[in-house]
Amino acid sequence: MPPSRSQIRPGLTVDIVQKQDQATGRLTRGVVAGLLTKSPTHPHGIKVRLTTGQVGRVQAVVGEAEAG
């Protein structure tokens, strides 16, 4: 089960699956810039925008972003 919205916040490092990677399940790692899903949970993961501009659904929270 993907993490709920309450477990995700800007600044966290997460693994997301982007729309074009849904068939393969390829994950992209990045730092959350903002949350796009308003509901508390979503069966495929909460949609976020990374600091790189990439958008996808969170599959796992990795941890805090490295300071610096």
Side-chain angles (χ1 to χ4, degrees):
M1 177 99 178
S4 64
R5 192 175 196 279
S6 63
Q7 296 172 286
I8 304 166
R9 63 185 185 281
L12 283 182
T13 300
V14 296
D15 287 335
I16 65 166
V17 62
Q18 296 182 75
K19 183 80 170 173
Q20 68 269 23
D21 295 329
Q22 283 177 346
T24 62
R26 180 175 169 268
L27 297 177
T28 303
R29 184 163 290 183
V31 177
V32 176
L35 283 75
L36 304 177
T37 300
K38 298 294 183 206
S39 64
T41 61
H42 189 281
H44 300 124
I46 300 297
K47 191 179 280 188
V48 297
R49 177 174 287 114
L50 301 180
T51 54
T52 59
Q54 296 166 301
V55 173
R57 295 193 180 274
V58 175
Q59 301 302 299
V61 174
V62 178
E64 298 289 335
E66 295 297 318

